[in-house]
Amino acid sequence: MSEEKSLNFIEEIVENDLNSGKYETLVTRFPPEPNGYLHIGHAKAICLNFGLTQKYGGYTNLRFDDTNPVTEKTEYVNSQQEDIKWLGFNWKNELYASDYFDELYSFAVKLIEKGLAYVDESTADEIAALKGTPTEPGKDSPYRNRSAAENLEIFTKMKNGEFADGAYILRAKIDMASPNMLMRDPIIYRIKHAEHHRTGNKWCIYPMYDFAHGQSDSIENITHSICTLEYVSHRELYDWFIEKLEIFPSKQYEFARLNLTSTVMSKRKLLQLVNENLVSGWDDPRMPTISGLRRRGFTPKSVREFCERIGIAKRENLIELSLLEFCIREDLNKTANRVMAVLDPIKLVITNYEKGTEDLIGENNPEAEDGGGTRIIPFSKELWIEREDFMEVPAKKWFRLAPGAMVRLKFAYIVKCNDFVKDENGNVTEIHCTYIPESKSGSDTSGINVKGTIHWVSAQHAKTAEIRLYDRLFTSETPDAEEGDFKDYLNPESLTILPNAFIEPALADANLESRYQFIRKGYFCLDKDSTTDKLVFNRTVTLKDTFKKPN
């Protein structure tokens, strides 16, 4: 009998709330800001929010936090929707903070009328000077005691577009001596004359995140508003707005965000990599974005499994990228068909092979639950093999090709190397072998045992492909924590392009959803850059963890 998995602390809270009757229906939300592409850290939050309502019933809303028109784009909305669906989740309601701009404005008016908000015309520097420090209380703004009538009049003019950006702000009137700096009269509205991706030019004042977020949760009757630890200090303000506005009491809970080695998670820094052309785009396969992982060949199952394995905790920790790679290897080992591809080719000629061509049988995936099936692989006199599978002067315990040595060709015959040809620079260009007809795989009667097996592709039937070998984007495990610019630690060897590889002819029919194990070389997928004339394959991950940490 298997041991029942223990609950994480958020599951415990949810179970207690449901069992006590505090809530009849569990309602969560995933609230991304549409100012960039989602990354693996967001995947953790997606799996948590949607996973809770899958487990306990209820539903999850997708709500875009679109309160900053300057940085937000419909492109980002579309990509974020695609990523969530790709991970295997569906939301009940698609909502936007901008849906609530009228209601949020009325909430601000209510605070003004209650004497709990005021218009301030101080400069940013003046506000900062009066803010105080964590150990010293702040000082009241000279505009803190305006009358409600005057505040309403100016706030209305702000809304009507009568002032320039930065001329006025609206602040909550809380406590300038609070030990929580966020409670020292935070800004809740600012003037921004910018076109919004949904509301156009209807508004020129926009709510700040802290004012929009909790109220949006409340409007939607969100029972458990789950966010990462950096919002712990925001919870007091979240609760204050809800209490003073006397609206549905959504509750905020915090968990540790995902910190992953050898990458950065800041959308600002990821945008920098894109804008400075240090990567090919948001979906560059080296990026930690969900679209980048998808393009590299990761599967939804592997990402969900990774999020499950790292769990939900209250304390920050650093997760090894190798765990994510382990999860994709584990998935693809059972699902990816085995095929043969020669990445650094050298010609092998079987001098005594007189059949012309023949069809051999190859296993697709012996690890598959359904047995994997078989496929036809064409074989001929001239083959491509890996250059590294031949050694002119063999090392000790060398079990591949060398003068006089024998090796098995995968799914085919045993061959013996007789001689080889060099060019004028001393490079080996062609290997000459003889084969043993009785040694055919599956019906070997030769009685010969060899220790080495190598893969190959028939030269007559091979298709040419470009292979892109990806590695970690940064040489440092913690580029964010290093001295200097994080970009100083970009890995110059994070992408290697092999333009003239040879692949099995069956791979000509590869599609973007298929995953393959190139025998002995790793797991690969077709890239979107492929054309009918030129196939491009990305290496998802090596067969084993081969990354060497820098000294």
Side-chain angles (χ1 to χ4, degrees):
M1 183 176 175
S2 61
E3 184 180 344
E4 188 174 341
K5 188 179 177 186
S6 60
L7 301 177
N8 63 54
F9 77 96
I10 291 181
E11 289 173 331
E12 289 177 352
I13 291 169
V14 168
E15 284 202 4
N16 288 336
D17 286 348
L18 294 175
N19 292 338
S20 69
K22 183 176 181 180
Y23 304 109
E24 288 186 9
T25 304
L26 173 64
V27 185
T28 66
R29 84 290 171 266
F30 177 63
E33 182 179 359
N35 65 347
Y37 281 58
L38 299 179
H39 56 59
I40 186 68
H42 295 110
K44 179 180 177 181
I46 292 167
C47 290
L48 174 57
N49 279 288
F50 285 91
L52 285 170
T53 50
Q54 284 186 346
K55 182 173 182 177
Y56 296 107
Y59 60 88
T60 301
N61 288 340
L62 170 61
R63 181 178 74 241
F64 292 99
D65 174 30
D66 58 344
T67 58
N68 186 354
V70 176
T71 60
E72 295 157 0
K73 297 180 183 178
T74 302
E75 171 196 348
Y76 297 141
V77 170
N78 296 337
S79 72
Q80 291 176 0
Q81 290 174 326
E82 184 181 354
D83 289 342
I84 296 167
K85 290 177 181 177
W86 178 78
L87 279 171
F89 299 109
N90 292 294
W91 51 91
K92 180 178 181 181
N93 302 301
E94 179 185 322
L95 302 165
Y96 297 78
S98 56
D99 293 337
Y100 311 131
F101 279 173
D102 288 292
E103 200 160 357
L104 292 170
Y105 178 80
S106 69
F107 284 157
V109 169
K110 185 175 182 179
L111 290 179
I112 293 172
E113 291 173 341
K114 294 178 76 170
L116 296 174
Y118 63 96
V119 174
D120 197 333
E121 57 196 88
S122 303
T123 67
D125 288 341
E126 289 169 342
I127 291 173
L130 294 173
K131 194 81 171 180
T133 69
T135 57
E136 296 177 356
K139 296 178 181 178
D140 289 354
S141 163
Y143 307 100
R144 196 172 196 264
N145 295 316
R146 288 185 198 269
S147 68
E150 186 181 0
N151 282 317
L152 283 173
E153 181 184 355
I154 299 174
F155 191 52
T156 301
K157 290 180 178 180
M158 289 169 60
K159 173 181 176 288
N160 293 339
E162 296 184 29
F163 305 118
D165 289 7
Y168 291 91
I169 55 172
L170 183 69
R171 300 176 71 175
K173 191 175 184 179
I174 307 179
D175 181 6
M176 288 303 292
S178 172
N180 183 349
M181 298 283 286
L182 291 175
M183 298 298 285
R184 297 182 185 178
D185 292 10
I187 300 170
I188 57 178
Y189 262 92
R190 77 284 205 202
I191 302 172
K192 272 186 182 289
H193 290 273
E195 185 171 342
H196 189 277
H197 73 105
R198 293 186 73 244
T199 60
N201 292 306
K202 177 183 177 182
W203 293 90
C204 61
I205 58 170
Y206 293 93
M208 301 295 287
Y209 170 85
D210 278 320
F211 189 66
H213 187 69
Q215 286 71 271
S216 298
D217 284 346
S218 181
I219 292 167
E220 296 172 22
N221 287 353
I222 301 300
T223 57
H224 297 74
S225 178
I226 302 165
C227 55
T228 47
L229 284 178
E230 62 261 40
Y231 292 100
V232 168
S233 57
H234 294 248
R235 191 197 317 147
E236 186 180 1
L237 183 56
Y238 182 102
D239 293 339
W240 187 89
F241 282 131
I242 285 176
E243 176 194 343
K244 299 305 180 185
L245 291 167
E246 302 173 80
I247 53 180
F248 178 84
S250 296
K251 292 294 181 184
Q252 175 178 305
Y253 303 93
E254 306 88 14
F255 69 99
R257 65 182 293 172
L258 171 60
N259 298 302
L260 197 63
T261 60
S262 305
T263 191
V264 294
M265 294 294 213
S266 159
K267 273 196 279 190
R268 178 180 60 81
K269 290 181 178 178
L270 295 176
L271 179 60
Q272 214 175 329
L273 295 175
V274 173
N275 287 344
E276 295 179 24
N277 296 317
L278 297 168
V279 293
S280 62
W282 283 100
D283 67 346
D284 187 301
R286 294 165 292 182
M287 291 276 273
T289 53
I290 296 174
S291 55
L293 292 171
R294 180 164 68 244
R295 184 175 175 187
R296 185 157 170 172
F298 280 77
T299 60
K301 181 179 179 181
S302 68
V303 176
R304 294 195 303 267
E305 174 65 19
F306 171 71
C307 293
E308 179 74 18
R309 282 177 177 269
I310 61 178
I312 302 299
K314 293 182 180 181
R315 302 178 74 176
E316 297 281 3
N317 58 349
L318 187 63
I319 304 298
E320 290 280 348
L321 182 59
S322 56
L323 176 59
L324 178 59
E325 293 172 338
F326 169 82
C327 291
I328 186 61
R329 285 192 192 96
E330 191 175 58
D331 185 19
L332 294 182
N333 182 51
K334 299 173 183 175
T335 58
N337 280 348
R338 277 56 169 160
V339 295
M340 294 192 289
V342 177
L343 309 190
D344 183 17
I346 187 172
K347 181 72 70 71
L348 183 148
V349 179
I350 305 174
T351 56
N352 65 332
Y353 187 82
E354 304 297 340
K355 296 183 181 181
T357 64
E358 67 177 301
D359 290 335
L360 302 179
I361 304 297
E363 291 180 302
N364 286 333
N365 185 351
E367 301 293 330
E369 292 180 2
D370 62 358
T374 59
R375 69 187 185 286
I376 300 297
I377 307 171
F379 185 82
S380 62
K381 182 184 186 77
E382 295 188 353
L383 311 174
W384 295 112
I385 66 167
E386 295 288 352
R387 185 172 298 275
E388 66 181 10
D389 283 338
F390 174 80
M391 189 173 284
E392 185 179 348
V393 180
K396 191 175 182 180
K397 294 188 177 179
W398 176 258
F399 299 125
R400 285 171 276 171
L401 277 175
M406 290 194 293
V407 72
R408 175 171 291 283
L409 300 174
K410 184 76 173 176
F411 305 129
Y413 300 94
I414 294 172
V415 295
K416 180 179 181 180
C417 177
N418 299 313
D419 58 38
F420 53 88
V421 178
K422 288 184 174 183
D423 62 18
E424 63 275 12
N425 297 318
N427 299 312
V428 177
T429 58
E430 196 169 277
I431 302 164
H432 294 167
C433 295
T434 53
Y435 87 117
I436 300 170
E438 300 80 20
S439 65
K440 186 176 182 180
S441 293
S443 59
D444 186 356
T445 59
S446 68
I448 299 172
N449 292 316
V450 293
K451 292 185 177 181
T453 300
I454 64 174
H455 65 282
W456 50 274
V457 176
S458 168
Q460 180 179 335
H461 304 89
K463 303 295 182 183
T464 304
E466 177 182 298
I467 307 295
R468 298 174 182 174
L469 305 179
Y470 291 100
D471 210 330
R472 284 157 168 74
L473 187 54
F474 292 92
T475 56
S476 168
E477 286 199 338
T478 54
D480 272 335
E482 300 286 359
E483 292 183 5
D485 192 326
F486 78 101
K487 293 176 295 183
D488 295 340
Y489 300 91
L490 283 167
N491 180 7
E493 298 178 358
S494 62
L495 171 60
T496 301
I497 297 177
L498 306 175
N500 296 304
F502 292 107
I503 57 175
E504 278 188 37
L507 280 171
D509 297 324
N511 61 63
L512 294 175
E513 302 306 315
S514 297
R515 304 290 181 266
Y516 303 94
Q517 184 194 103
F518 287 5
I519 292 173
R520 301 171 65 217
K521 290 298 174 183
Y523 293 99
F524 291 77
C525 69
L526 191 70
D527 186 76
K528 68 176 187 179
D529 288 345
S530 295
T531 65
T532 52
D533 298 324
K534 179 185 176 184
L535 297 177
V536 179
F537 286 88
N538 298 328
R539 184 173 66 189
T540 306
V541 68
T542 55
L543 293 176
K544 295 180 181 179
D545 186 359
T546 58
F547 181 68
K548 295 180 181 178
K549 296 178 182 178
N551 295 326

